Amino acid sequence: MSTFEKVRDIVVEQLGVEADDVAIESTFIDDLGADSLDIVELIMAFEEEFSIEIPDEAAEKIKTVNDVVTYIDQSK
Amino acid sequence: MLLDGKVALVTGASRGIGRAIAITLAKAGAAVVVNYAGNVAAAKEVEQIIVSAGGKVMLVQADVADSESVDAMIQQTMAEFGRIDILINNAGITRDGLLMRMKESDWNAVIQTNLTGVFYCTKAVSKIMMKQRIGRVINMTSVVGLTGNAGQANYAAAKAGVIGFSKSMAKELASRGITVNLVAPGFIQTDMTAVLSDKIKEDMVENIPLARMGTPEDVAQAVLFLASDNASYITGQTINVDGGMVM
């Protein structure tokens, strides 16, 4: 599975959206309806799934699915 | 039983009110993590009482004023029980004195343990509870946090701070099925009040409509209620257990 697919699965599970609704350019808040607490939970889920640590400064910059995928791929 | 299958972490549970809470929750069926800062003998006694009553218990030494120590405690709890349903932030200290004589170290120590310690423990446990989509946080404040008290500026400030903190947490965490409430004990028979002179005790009891000091068990029963499913529609509230001292 690509990083995007794994991220998409987590987003689907956490936010209860359809997989088809999650595109690489989707924004978490405007497109996917996440609130600030959802974002915190998503970050925690990404950290767990990919065994990485996303510091707060980096987490604040994450707005889109692409932001997460890029961050994860760079952390590998 | 009321708390069957639940896991409860009680800070400062080796003595006084925390001890009564730990024993009460364990007797109601919860597996209880008894946190203590230094008094291992007292903690072992609590362990004994719970084991004799057929309950589940684990002792964990940790200073709530130290975030690393708190994180280690949470990890130990998760390794043993795999979840935390109930957090009771009870650990507290006093360094009483009139403001003019209060040292900065007295101020800092009380704020660090009684307020910042609540922040550390709640932060660490909230992540777990958010994933579980259920949790009960009960923070011990004090009637002094509502009324103020000469000679306890640091303690009253910390306890008032805990109220503001708890109400904020109640709002932040409600959407994840986590409730956050407070219990405000009044004048309770513990080591903390045992040091007061008989004269002071008599004067205080005179101002209590129910005309007696409270017991740690009186407080523990209020905590038990808030920790149970019976209190699922209550959040951000303070229950005073003070014989009517503050209304």
Side-chain angles (χ1 to χ4, degrees), chain B residues 6-14 18 22 25-26 30-36 46 50 56-61 73-74 76-78 80-81 83-84 86-88:
Chain B
K6 309 275 191 196
V7 177
L9 167 58
V10 185
T11 68
S14 64
L25 298 186
V32 175
V33 179
V34 170
N35 158 257
Y36 65 100
V46 177
I50 293 175
K56 267 193 197 163
V57 60
M58 177 173 76
L59 300 186
V60 180
Q61 191 282 328
M73 168 172 74
I74 305 303
Q76 271 179 272
T77 303
M78 290 303 282
E80 177 73 20
F81 295 116
R83 57 185 296 120
I84 301 175
I86 300 160
L87 168 65
I88 316 292

Short mmCIF file of all heavy atoms in Angstrom, two decimals, chain B residues 6-14 18 22 25-26 30-36 46 50 56-61 73-74 76-78 80-81 83-84 86-88:
data_model
loop_
_atom_site.label_atom_id
_atom_site.label_comp_id
_atom_site.label_asym_id
_atom_site.label_seq_id
_atom_site.Cartn_x
_atom_site.Cartn_y
_atom_site.Cartn_z
N LYS B 6 -13.94 -1.71 34.84
CA LYS B 6 -13.31 -0.39 34.68
C LYS B 6 -11.92 -0.39 35.32
O LYS B 6 -11.67 -1.11 36.29
CB LYS B 6 -14.14 0.69 35.37
CG LYS B 6 -15.60 0.69 35.00
CD LYS B 6 -15.86 1.45 33.74
CE LYS B 6 -17.36 1.67 33.54
NZ LYS B 6 -17.67 2.07 32.18
N VAL B 7 -11.07 0.47 34.78
CA VAL B 7 -9.75 0.68 35.36
C VAL B 7 -9.67 2.12 35.86
O VAL B 7 -9.95 3.05 35.10
CB VAL B 7 -8.64 0.42 34.31
CG1 VAL B 7 -7.27 0.72 34.91
CG2 VAL B 7 -8.71 -1.01 33.79
N ALA B 8 -9.31 2.27 37.12
CA ALA B 8 -9.24 3.60 37.73
C ALA B 8 -7.84 3.90 38.22
O ALA B 8 -7.20 3.05 38.83
CB ALA B 8 -10.23 3.70 38.89
N LEU B 9 -7.37 5.10 37.92
CA LEU B 9 -6.08 5.55 38.44
C LEU B 9 -6.35 6.66 39.45
O LEU B 9 -6.98 7.67 39.12
CB LEU B 9 -5.22 6.08 37.28
CG LEU B 9 -3.96 6.87 37.61
CD1 LEU B 9 -2.99 6.08 38.47
CD2 LEU B 9 -3.26 7.31 36.33
N VAL B 10 -5.87 6.46 40.67
CA VAL B 10 -6.08 7.45 41.73
C VAL B 10 -4.71 7.97 42.17
O VAL B 10 -3.88 7.20 42.66
CB VAL B 10 -6.81 6.83 42.94
CG1 VAL B 10 -7.13 7.91 43.98
CG2 VAL B 10 -8.07 6.11 42.52
N THR B 11 -4.49 9.28 42.00
CA THR B 11 -3.20 9.83 42.42
C THR B 11 -3.27 10.19 43.91
O THR B 11 -4.34 10.52 44.43
CB THR B 11 -2.80 11.08 41.60
OG1 THR B 11 -3.69 12.16 41.91
CG2 THR B 11 -2.82 10.80 40.11
N GLY B 12 -2.13 10.10 44.56
CA GLY B 12 -2.09 10.41 45.99
C GLY B 12 -3.00 9.50 46.79
O GLY B 12 -3.74 9.96 47.66
N ALA B 13 -2.92 8.19 46.50
CA ALA B 13 -3.93 7.27 47.05
C ALA B 13 -3.44 6.49 48.27
O ALA B 13 -4.13 5.59 48.73
CB ALA B 13 -4.37 6.29 45.96
N SER B 14 -2.29 6.84 48.82
CA SER B 14 -1.80 6.06 49.96
C SER B 14 -2.42 6.50 51.27
O SER B 14 -2.45 5.75 52.24
CB SER B 14 -0.27 6.13 50.04
OG SER B 14 0.15 7.44 50.29
N GLY B 18 -7.59 10.18 49.18
CA GLY B 18 -7.20 9.32 48.05
C GLY B 18 -7.29 7.85 48.40
O GLY B 18 -7.75 7.03 47.60
N ALA B 22 -9.65 5.13 46.56
CA ALA B 22 -9.10 3.90 45.96
C ALA B 22 -9.84 2.67 46.47
O ALA B 22 -10.25 1.80 45.70
CB ALA B 22 -7.60 3.80 46.25
N LEU B 25 -13.58 2.64 45.15
CA LEU B 25 -13.69 2.28 43.73
C LEU B 25 -13.39 0.79 43.53
O LEU B 25 -14.05 0.11 42.74
CB LEU B 25 -12.76 3.13 42.87
CG LEU B 25 -13.01 4.65 42.85
CD1 LEU B 25 -12.08 5.33 41.85
CD2 LEU B 25 -14.45 5.00 42.55
N ALA B 26 -12.39 0.29 44.27
CA ALA B 26 -12.04 -1.13 44.15
C ALA B 26 -13.19 -2.01 44.64
O ALA B 26 -13.51 -3.03 44.02
CB ALA B 26 -10.77 -1.43 44.95
N ALA B 30 -13.86 -1.83 40.32
CA ALA B 30 -12.82 -1.31 39.43
C ALA B 30 -11.45 -1.90 39.79
O ALA B 30 -11.18 -2.17 40.96
CB ALA B 30 -12.75 0.21 39.54
N ALA B 31 -10.62 -2.10 38.77
CA ALA B 31 -9.20 -2.38 39.01
C ALA B 31 -8.57 -1.02 39.30
O ALA B 31 -8.75 -0.08 38.53
CB ALA B 31 -8.57 -3.01 37.78
N VAL B 32 -7.86 -0.91 40.41
CA VAL B 32 -7.39 0.41 40.85
C VAL B 32 -5.86 0.50 40.85
O VAL B 32 -5.18 -0.37 41.39
CB VAL B 32 -7.93 0.74 42.25
CG1 VAL B 32 -7.35 2.06 42.75
CG2 VAL B 32 -9.45 0.82 42.23
N VAL B 33 -5.37 1.55 40.22
CA VAL B 33 -3.95 1.87 40.30
C VAL B 33 -3.78 2.88 41.43
O VAL B 33 -4.33 3.98 41.38
CB VAL B 33 -3.43 2.46 38.98
CG1 VAL B 33 -1.96 2.81 39.10
CG2 VAL B 33 -3.67 1.48 37.84
N VAL B 34 -3.06 2.46 42.47
CA VAL B 34 -2.84 3.30 43.63
C VAL B 34 -1.50 4.01 43.45
O VAL B 34 -0.44 3.41 43.55
CB VAL B 34 -2.81 2.45 44.92
CG1 VAL B 34 -2.33 3.26 46.12
CG2 VAL B 34 -4.20 1.87 45.20
N ASN B 35 -1.57 5.28 43.12
CA ASN B 35 -0.34 6.07 42.98
C ASN B 35 0.03 6.67 44.33
O ASN B 35 -0.84 7.09 45.10
CB ASN B 35 -0.54 7.20 41.96
CG ASN B 35 0.45 8.32 42.17
OD1 ASN B 35 0.11 9.38 42.71
ND2 ASN B 35 1.70 8.12 41.82
N TYR B 36 1.33 6.67 44.61
CA TYR B 36 1.82 7.31 45.83
C TYR B 36 3.14 7.98 45.50
O TYR B 36 3.85 7.57 44.59
CB TYR B 36 1.98 6.29 46.96
CG TYR B 36 3.04 5.24 46.68
CD1 TYR B 36 4.31 5.36 47.25
CD2 TYR B 36 2.77 4.17 45.84
CE1 TYR B 36 5.29 4.41 46.97
CE2 TYR B 36 3.75 3.23 45.56
CZ TYR B 36 5.01 3.36 46.13
OH TYR B 36 5.98 2.44 45.83
N VAL B 46 -2.96 0.04 51.72
CA VAL B 46 -4.12 0.20 50.85
C VAL B 46 -4.24 -1.02 49.94
O VAL B 46 -5.33 -1.57 49.73
CB VAL B 46 -4.01 1.50 50.01
CG1 VAL B 46 -5.20 1.62 49.06
CG2 VAL B 46 -3.93 2.71 50.91
N ILE B 50 -7.42 -3.71 49.72
CA ILE B 50 -8.15 -3.99 48.47
C ILE B 50 -8.07 -5.47 48.13
O ILE B 50 -9.08 -6.09 47.76
CB ILE B 50 -7.59 -3.11 47.32
CG1 ILE B 50 -7.93 -1.63 47.59
CG2 ILE B 50 -8.17 -3.56 45.98
CD1 ILE B 50 -7.35 -0.65 46.60
N LYS B 56 -8.89 -5.80 42.58
CA LYS B 56 -7.67 -5.76 41.78
C LYS B 56 -6.95 -4.46 42.05
O LYS B 56 -7.57 -3.39 42.01
CB LYS B 56 -8.03 -5.81 40.30
CG LYS B 56 -8.06 -7.19 39.71
CD LYS B 56 -8.10 -7.02 38.19
CE LYS B 56 -8.55 -8.30 37.52
NZ LYS B 56 -8.96 -8.05 36.14
N VAL B 57 -5.64 -4.51 42.23
CA VAL B 57 -4.90 -3.30 42.58
C VAL B 57 -3.47 -3.39 42.09
O VAL B 57 -2.90 -4.48 41.99
CB VAL B 57 -4.94 -3.07 44.11
CG1 VAL B 57 -4.32 -4.23 44.86
CG2 VAL B 57 -4.29 -1.76 44.50
N MET B 58 -2.91 -2.24 41.74
CA MET B 58 -1.49 -2.15 41.42
C MET B 58 -0.95 -0.87 42.05
O MET B 58 -1.59 0.18 41.98
CB MET B 58 -1.28 -2.09 39.90
CG MET B 58 0.18 -1.92 39.52
SD MET B 58 0.50 -2.04 37.74
CE MET B 58 -0.08 -0.48 37.15
N LEU B 59 0.22 -0.96 42.66
CA LEU B 59 0.85 0.23 43.23
C LEU B 59 1.80 0.83 42.22
O LEU B 59 2.55 0.10 41.58
CB LEU B 59 1.65 -0.13 44.49
CG LEU B 59 0.92 -0.76 45.67
CD1 LEU B 59 1.89 -0.88 46.85
CD2 LEU B 59 -0.29 0.05 46.06
N VAL B 60 1.78 2.15 42.07
CA VAL B 60 2.76 2.81 41.20
C VAL B 60 3.30 4.05 41.91
O VAL B 60 2.54 4.96 42.27
CB VAL B 60 2.15 3.25 39.85
CG1 VAL B 60 3.21 3.92 38.99
CG2 VAL B 60 1.58 2.06 39.10
N GLN B 61 4.60 4.07 42.11
CA GLN B 61 5.23 5.25 42.69
C GLN B 61 5.45 6.27 41.58
O GLN B 61 5.96 5.94 40.51
CB GLN B 61 6.58 4.86 43.32
CG GLN B 61 7.21 5.93 44.19
CD GLN B 61 7.89 7.04 43.40
OE1 GLN B 61 8.41 6.81 42.32
NE2 GLN B 61 7.87 8.24 43.94
N MET B 73 4.24 6.41 34.81
CA MET B 73 3.12 5.82 35.55
C MET B 73 2.01 5.38 34.60
O MET B 73 1.43 4.29 34.74
CB MET B 73 2.58 6.84 36.56
CG MET B 73 1.24 6.46 37.18
SD MET B 73 0.77 7.59 38.52
CE MET B 73 0.29 9.05 37.59
N ILE B 74 1.71 6.23 33.61
CA ILE B 74 0.65 5.92 32.65
C ILE B 74 1.06 4.70 31.82
O ILE B 74 0.24 3.81 31.55
CB ILE B 74 0.35 7.13 31.73
CG1 ILE B 74 0.01 8.37 32.55
CG2 ILE B 74 -0.77 6.81 30.75
CD1 ILE B 74 -1.13 8.24 33.52
N GLN B 76 3.06 2.28 32.72
CA GLN B 76 2.96 1.09 33.58
C GLN B 76 1.51 0.62 33.69
O GLN B 76 1.23 -0.56 33.65
CB GLN B 76 3.47 1.41 34.99
CG GLN B 76 4.95 1.17 35.18
CD GLN B 76 5.34 1.55 36.60
OE1 GLN B 76 5.66 2.71 36.87
NE2 GLN B 76 5.30 0.59 37.50
N THR B 77 0.61 1.60 33.84
CA THR B 77 -0.81 1.28 33.96
C THR B 77 -1.32 0.62 32.70
O THR B 77 -2.03 -0.40 32.74
CB THR B 77 -1.61 2.57 34.22
OG1 THR B 77 -1.11 3.19 35.40
CG2 THR B 77 -3.10 2.27 34.40
N MET B 78 -0.95 1.17 31.55
CA MET B 78 -1.41 0.62 30.27
C MET B 78 -0.82 -0.78 30.05
O MET B 78 -1.49 -1.66 29.51
CB MET B 78 -1.04 1.56 29.13
CG MET B 78 -1.84 2.85 29.12
SD MET B 78 -3.63 2.58 29.05
CE MET B 78 -3.84 2.19 27.30
N GLU B 80 -0.15 -2.94 32.27
CA GLU B 80 -0.82 -3.90 33.16
C GLU B 80 -2.29 -4.10 32.78
O GLU B 80 -2.76 -5.23 32.72
CB GLU B 80 -0.71 -3.38 34.61
CG GLU B 80 -1.41 -4.25 35.65
CD GLU B 80 -0.69 -5.56 35.92
OE1 GLU B 80 0.52 -5.65 35.61
OE2 GLU B 80 -1.34 -6.48 36.44
N PHE B 81 -3.00 -3.01 32.54
CA PHE B 81 -4.46 -3.12 32.37
C PHE B 81 -4.96 -2.81 30.96
O PHE B 81 -6.11 -3.09 30.63
CB PHE B 81 -5.18 -2.21 33.38
CG PHE B 81 -4.97 -2.62 34.81
CD1 PHE B 81 -4.31 -1.78 35.69
CD2 PHE B 81 -5.44 -3.84 35.27
CE1 PHE B 81 -4.11 -2.14 37.02
CE2 PHE B 81 -5.26 -4.22 36.60
CZ PHE B 81 -4.59 -3.37 37.47
N ARG B 83 -6.05 -0.16 29.56
CA ARG B 83 -6.98 0.95 29.39
C ARG B 83 -7.06 1.75 30.69
O ARG B 83 -6.63 1.28 31.75
CB ARG B 83 -8.37 0.46 29.01
CG ARG B 83 -8.99 -0.53 29.99
CD ARG B 83 -10.33 -1.08 29.49
NE ARG B 83 -11.32 -0.03 29.39
CZ ARG B 83 -11.94 0.31 28.25
NH1 ARG B 83 -11.68 -0.32 27.15
NH2 ARG B 83 -12.85 1.27 28.23
N ILE B 84 -7.60 2.97 30.60
CA ILE B 84 -7.86 3.77 31.80
C ILE B 84 -9.23 4.40 31.61
O ILE B 84 -9.43 5.19 30.69
CB ILE B 84 -6.79 4.86 32.01
CG1 ILE B 84 -5.39 4.25 32.15
CG2 ILE B 84 -7.13 5.69 33.27
CD1 ILE B 84 -4.27 5.27 32.26
N ILE B 86 -11.09 5.70 34.38
CA ILE B 86 -11.36 6.70 35.41
C ILE B 86 -10.03 7.27 35.91
O ILE B 86 -9.13 6.51 36.27
CB ILE B 86 -12.12 6.05 36.59
CG1 ILE B 86 -13.45 5.45 36.12
CG2 ILE B 86 -12.34 7.04 37.73
CD1 ILE B 86 -14.03 4.40 37.06
N LEU B 87 -9.92 8.59 35.90
CA LEU B 87 -8.74 9.24 36.48
C LEU B 87 -9.19 10.12 37.62
O LEU B 87 -10.05 10.99 37.44
CB LEU B 87 -8.03 10.10 35.42
CG LEU B 87 -6.96 11.07 35.96
CD1 LEU B 87 -5.77 10.31 36.56
CD2 LEU B 87 -6.47 12.01 34.86
N ILE B 88 -8.63 9.90 38.80
CA ILE B 88 -8.93 10.75 39.94
C ILE B 88 -7.67 11.53 40.28
O ILE B 88 -6.69 10.98 40.79
CB ILE B 88 -9.35 9.93 41.19
CG1 ILE B 88 -10.32 8.79 40.84
CG2 ILE B 88 -9.90 10.86 42.28
CD1 ILE B 88 -11.68 9.22 40.38
#
